[in-house]
Amino acid sequence: MLDLLLARYNTERPGTIADRWVRAEHVRSTQRLGYETVSIADFVAVDKYSTSQAIHGHEVKVSRSDWLTELKDPTKSERIKRFCDFWWLVVPDASIVKPGELPEGWGLLVQSGKVLRAKKRAPRLTPEPLTLDFIAGLTAAAARTAFREPLRRDARTIETWSERAGLRRLCQACGEPAPCALHQPRELGAAA
């Protein structure tokens, strides 16, 4: 499911190494209420476009029992949801969530083949200001996710053309000549 989320929030612009999204898996936030409570969002995607900047939080549930456990303690997800502009439940099968069970303010993403489709759009929320512990957890998770991403899939190859250099194939993640050993190991292996 995390691979499907990585694919959903991956929109590199053709001909550039720019990406619209910051992706982070397993985002931790610590809330101090006289004791330490750690909350983890399965996936957070930050939209960097100036016209649509938003934080999308995701809770992944792969079974009905997993979902029912989540419903028993709604405060668990609220600890991170409160910082998000959109909050999504992500499931491999829509039958995991029965009609009327989706909490207020949640959207529903369901696996459809090799993509996720919105069965119910998440409403725009009014998030609280970000706390330092959430920012630290988000940035640490984004760094870990960026490091692991090449293990799951190769970065795209882009083609650029200039009068001086002619046609060049570049790794979209770093701009180095393609295939890049760091971001395109599968393509590099196939080329060898």
Side-chain angles (χ1 to χ4, degrees), residues 39-42 58-81 87-91 96-97 101-103 106:
S39 296
I40 300 174
D42 292 315
H58 302 78
E59 188 66 33
V60 175
K61 297 299 171 194
V62 295
S63 69
R64 174 92 178 129
S65 62
D66 195 14
W67 172 236
L68 292 175
T69 301
E70 179 72 24
L71 287 175
K72 287 180 185 173
D73 184 8
T75 62
K76 185 178 148 250
S77 61
E78 189 60 38
R79 293 182 200 124
I80 293 183
K81 177 182 174 242
W87 189 256
W88 300 90
L89 172 63
V90 184
V91 295
I96 290 174
V97 182
E101 284 184 343
L102 201 60
W106 289 51

Side-chain angles (χ1 to χ4, degrees), residues 6-192:
L6 282 171
R8 179 180 178 85
Y9 295 102
N10 187 345
T11 56
E12 292 106 345
R13 288 180 287 179
T16 73
I17 61 170
D19 191 351
R20 174 179 180 170
W21 300 95
V22 172
R23 295 168 293 281
E25 300 171 348
H26 308 293
V27 177
R28 297 170 58 93
S29 182
T30 305
Q31 188 178 37
R32 296 188 187 278
L33 301 171
Y35 57 93
E36 224 173 71
T37 303
V38 174
S39 296
I40 300 174
D42 292 315
F43 192 87
V44 173
V46 180
D47 187 346
K48 300 184 302 184
Y49 275 19
S50 61
T51 57
S52 58
Q53 288 179 340
I55 298 175
H56 293 255
H58 302 78
E59 188 66 33
V60 175
K61 297 299 171 194
V62 295
S63 69
R64 174 92 178 129
S65 62
D66 195 14
W67 172 236
L68 292 175
T69 301
E70 179 72 24
L71 287 175
K72 287 180 185 173
D73 184 8
T75 62
K76 185 178 148 250
S77 61
E78 189 60 38
R79 293 182 200 124
I80 293 183
K81 177 182 174 242
R82 66 193 178 110
F83 299 122
C84 297
D85 298 282
F86 299 92
W87 189 256
W88 300 90
L89 172 63
V90 184
V91 295
D93 187 322
S95 67
I96 290 174
V97 182
K98 301 297 180 202
E101 284 184 343
L102 201 60
E104 179 85 22
W106 289 51
L108 179 61
L109 292 173
V110 179
Q111 183 176 356
S112 176
K114 295 184 179 190
V115 298
L116 293 170
R117 302 222 185 271
K119 183 167 183 182
K120 180 183 186 280
R121 291 225 169 268
R124 181 134 195 147
L125 305 171
T126 305
E128 295 179 15
L130 302 181
T131 60
L132 186 55
D133 67 285
F134 177 73
I135 294 168
L138 178 61
T139 55
R144 284 190 313 271
T145 302
F147 184 75
R148 284 194 307 257
E149 244 183 302
L151 300 175
R152 292 196 168 103
R153 66 177 178 85
D154 278 359
R156 296 179 182 145
T157 296
I158 58 174
E159 292 183 347
T160 62
W161 191 87
S162 71
E163 290 287 335
R164 186 173 57 87
L167 183 65
R168 294 177 43 201
R169 295 182 72 239
L170 304 174
C171 169
Q172 191 162 21
C174 64
E176 293 297 315
C180 159
L182 181 60
H183 300 109
Q184 299 171 316
R186 289 162 199 79
E187 186 179 341
L188 187 63

